[in-house]
Amino acid sequence: MEYAFLLFAFVCGLTVKIIGIPPLVGYLIAGFLLNLFGYKLTDDLTEIANLGITIMLFTIGLKLNIRDLSKREVWAGSVSHTLIWVGVITCAVYGVAAIASQYVEGLTWETAALIAFALSFSSTVCVVKVLEESGESKTRHGRLAIGILVMQDVFAVVFLVAATGKLPSVWALGLLGLVPAMPLISKMINKSGHGELLPLTGFILALGGYHLFELVNVKGDLGALIFGMMLAQHEKASELAKSLLSFKDLFLIGFFLTIGLTALPNFTMILLSVVFCIFIPIKAALFFGLFTSLRLRGRTAYLSSLVLSNYSEFGLIVGALAVSLGLLADSWLVVIALSVSISFVITSVLYRTSHAQYHRYNDIIKRYEKSVRLKEDVYPTLQNAEFLVLGMGRVGRGAFNALSNLSDVNVWGMDADRTKVKELASEGFNVICGDGEDVDLWENLDIDNVQMVLLALPSIQDSVNITRQLKNAGYKGKVAAIARYEDEVSYLYENHVDKVFNFFTEAGLGFAEESLAYAQSQELHQQQA
């Protein structure tokens, strides 16, 4: 039966993708439709959903720099937002209940505060999915959003301990033994190679972390996240995360289905969930106000606030726990579930045009910026760059090296991953840190001498967006990009990219040319001998 559910979710996801809506919206719709047809949530589907969340948290940890959590904008922003939100929304929920008393019965201040707390969390699943689809998980605003989500996970653990009285076992101290065990775990990852053993190793580590923490009465999801964070500096961390990507996406379909299958709402529940979703702009405005007050740039604050403006699957966990303890009526769990679902749709749809929104309203947004910038938000400088390579992965670095071999060419690179930029700079590369989709960056960079920008990026949508931002900033040079499939080539040309290289075709051509040149040189050498 679960396979039939996943197949139906796939059909719904493909349908909405065709009309330009993110697939996860289709998965949510599939869950509600199955519920409407009389199907119920099964234990196996719940296991699939939990596995997806576990793998996702592990991959987040693999990409997370622990130093990001120590930044003031992360810890101060998350703590302040939770405290202010709970206070304001508690009053709002209680006020709504008082006005609609004929529909809402038995709502106390304590219950209202519990609902507000459940709605204070942003969805790790939704945010990470949206950021990964847009290729922005390592940008300034992406890392900020993920840092906030990790802090909220810490709040979740504290709440579960306080609400259930379930204290960590004394054996939890044994988790410190993981630190000296890291060299052995790292060696195991190295020995797993690059084939099918690598994702299997990821599964073992993610599930091992989950169950190890559960054994000592600590939230298992936190264990998966911490295991990932401990391996984030490993040389194969990025490759390991990529090997788990498809599995994670498959299992997360089960999570989105479980939301729709949780319960079928009536008219009153739908109305209350819509009212709760009206609070979402308050959530976004509060994040934006806190971020700008902490001296973040307007663009970073706006994009982070927009992607965090949703409700979390943890709200369902809080609701279920509250119901089991007799603190909430069953109907509230349905309302929270529906609110979470609607918020996913809102975020997924709105964030698709987030950069266009910022470009349209940037004059208004910049009014809230502080005059003194954080160190990370000071714009970099280019020194007489003639060629600029965006995306310093394997392809980008190869292009950079090839151009650098031309003695009369000044080449620079740019990447959104600050850690990678520092490593490349230490190796002698001319490289700066920046998000190519940031129109403010292009307006503040001296690109008058740049003859060509090479977009060595995996996402063609990112390439299209960056091309658009370059044109908006008045760039007059040429833009080149890579594509993996033939339909992507035509799409890039349609969006004003000047030269497109089909990755696999060009790689095959280059391989053939190098091999032919080698064969000819060997033949010439033999003739001379």
Side-chain angles (χ1 to χ4, degrees):
M1 182 61 72
E2 287 72 23
Y3 299 109
F5 287 173
L6 293 175
L7 177 60
F8 184 65
F10 165 75
V11 172
C12 292
L14 180 61
T15 301
V16 300
K17 181 176 175 59
I18 291 174
I19 60 177
I21 298 175
L24 69 86
V25 177
Y27 306 151
L28 291 169
I29 293 173
F32 283 112
L33 288 176
L34 288 170
N35 199 332
L36 183 64
F37 295 151
Y39 293 99
K40 300 299 180 183
L41 184 61
T42 66
D43 292 338
D44 289 340
L45 188 60
T46 301
E47 285 296 322
I48 292 174
N50 290 338
L51 182 57
I53 294 174
T54 300
I55 298 300
M56 182 200 66
L57 289 172
F58 178 69
T59 56
I60 290 174
L62 288 173
K63 301 175 184 178
L64 189 65
N65 189 333
I66 190 65
R67 286 175 294 184
D68 288 342
L69 301 182
S70 64
K71 295 175 181 177
R72 190 181 63 159
E73 58 266 30
V74 174
W75 63 263
S78 57
V79 172
S80 301
H81 187 276
T82 299
L83 293 175
I84 297 172
W85 170 270
V86 171
V88 172
I89 300 304
T90 296
C91 297
V93 170
Y94 193 80
V96 170
I99 294 172
S101 57
Q102 57 179 334
Y103 302 107
V104 182
E105 298 179 0
L107 187 72
T108 64
W109 280 105
E110 292 79 6
T111 304
L114 189 58
I115 293 172
F117 181 70
L119 299 177
S120 68
F121 296 87
S122 298
S123 171
T124 301
V125 175
C126 180
V127 172
V128 172
K129 185 74 173 172
V130 168
L131 287 174
E132 287 184 345
E133 286 180 350
S134 57
E136 298 176 14
S137 57
K138 290 189 176 182
T139 59
R140 175 73 163 119
H141 61 275
R143 289 186 292 111
L144 173 62
I146 291 174
I148 295 291
L149 292 171
V150 173
M151 288 297 299
Q152 290 181 347
D153 281 342
V154 175
F155 303 158
V157 174
V158 173
F159 170 80
L160 290 176
V161 170
T164 62
K166 181 181 176 182
L167 295 174
S169 165
V170 67
W171 295 104
L173 294 174
L175 295 175
L176 296 175
L178 291 172
V179 177
M182 287 310 298
L184 180 61
I185 296 175
S186 296
K187 188 174 182 180
M188 180 178 69
I189 295 175
N190 287 330
K191 293 295 184 181
S192 64
H194 305 282
E196 68 277 2
L197 272 179
L198 187 61
L200 181 59
T201 302
F203 270 91
I204 296 298
L205 292 173
L207 295 176
Y210 180 96
H211 290 292
L212 188 60
F213 274 59
E214 283 286 330
L215 283 174
V216 294
N217 288 346
V218 180
K219 195 167 181 282
D221 290 339
L222 185 64
L225 178 68
I226 289 177
F227 257 55
M229 291 170 63
M230 294 176 69
L231 295 168
Q233 300 304 314
H234 193 280
E235 58 186 9
K236 292 179 68 174
S238 178
E239 183 183 355
L240 181 58
K242 289 178 181 178
S243 72
L244 292 170
L245 184 61
S246 297
F247 295 103
K248 179 198 68 176
D249 290 343
L250 174 62
F251 292 130
L252 282 179
I253 294 176
F255 166 76
F256 292 113
L257 280 174
T258 60
I259 293 181
L261 286 166
T262 301
L264 197 61
N266 57 33
F267 176 76
T268 301
M269 295 175 186
I270 294 174
L271 187 61
L272 284 171
S273 64
V274 171
V275 171
F276 284 175
C277 288
I278 294 175
F279 298 156
I280 289 179
I282 299 176
K283 190 171 195 175
L286 181 56
F287 269 125
F288 180 79
L290 288 169
F291 289 154
T292 51
S293 67
L294 291 168
R295 294 190 291 147
L296 286 161
R297 289 201 297 118
R299 178 180 182 273
T300 303
Y302 179 77
L303 295 179
S304 301
S305 302
L306 189 60
V307 79
L308 289 168
S309 58
N310 48 65
Y311 298 134
S312 173
E313 58 281 356
F314 182 70
L316 299 176
I317 300 174
V318 172
L321 179 60
V323 169
S324 66
L325 296 175
L327 301 175
L328 277 179
D330 293 346
S331 59
W332 284 111
L333 184 58
V334 181
V335 173
I336 294 174
L338 191 58
S339 301
V340 170
S341 303
I342 296 174
S343 73
F344 281 11
V345 176
I346 292 173
T347 298
S348 300
V349 173
L350 285 182
Y351 198 78
R352 289 174 65 87
T353 59
S354 57
H355 297 284
Q357 294 171 34
Y358 175 75
H359 182 69
R360 188 179 303 118
Y361 303 114
N362 61 354
D363 290 337
I364 299 174
I365 293 170
K366 287 181 180 179
R367 295 175 189 173
Y368 298 93
E369 289 183 344
K370 301 298 181 182
S371 57
V372 179
R373 297 279 174 80
L374 294 175
K375 182 180 179 180
E376 287 191 51
D377 292 331
V378 176
Y379 293 114
T381 57
L382 289 173
Q383 298 178 4
N384 300 319
E386 297 173 282
F387 288 84
L388 179 62
V389 181
L390 266 67
M392 294 296 289
R394 286 176 295 182
V395 176
R397 192 179 302 194
F400 185 100
N401 289 330
L403 288 169
S404 297
N405 290 333
L406 304 175
S407 59
D408 58 342
V409 172
N410 188 12
V411 188
W412 281 73
M414 186 168 80
D415 200 283
D417 187 345
R418 193 170 295 274
T419 302
K420 182 188 295 184
V421 168
K422 288 182 179 179
E423 292 175 355
L424 292 172
S426 66
E427 295 174 12
F429 285 81
N430 292 330
V431 61
I432 60 173
C433 184
D435 180 1
E437 294 187 77
D438 183 357
V439 66
D440 294 338
L441 173 66
W442 295 120
E443 290 177 350
N444 285 272
L445 277 179
D446 182 8
I447 54 176
D448 291 340
N449 296 324
V450 176
Q451 301 172 21
M452 177 174 288
V453 174
L454 291 80
L455 306 178
L457 304 170
S459 168
I460 62 166
Q461 193 57 53
D462 287 349
S463 296
V464 169
N465 290 339
I466 292 172
T467 302
R468 187 176 299 119
Q469 301 294 16
L470 283 166
K471 302 300 182 183
N472 290 337
Y475 175 64
K476 304 299 184 183
K478 301 296 183 181
V479 177
I482 60 172
R484 291 175 295 176
Y485 308 104
E486 196 59 38
D487 60 328
E488 293 181 342
V489 174
S490 57
Y491 180 72
L492 288 168
Y493 277 128
E494 290 170 2
N495 285 275
H496 310 297
V497 173
D498 298 296
K499 178 62 178 177
V500 181
F501 296 87
N502 187 311
F503 185 78
F504 296 113
T505 301
E506 297 296 332
L509 179 61
F511 177 56
E513 289 177 345
E514 291 287 339
S515 300
L516 180 60
Y518 174 76
Q520 290 174 342
S521 65
Q522 289 296 105
E523 183 180 353
L524 180 61
H525 178 73
Q526 290 175 358
Q527 290 175 353
Q528 292 175 345

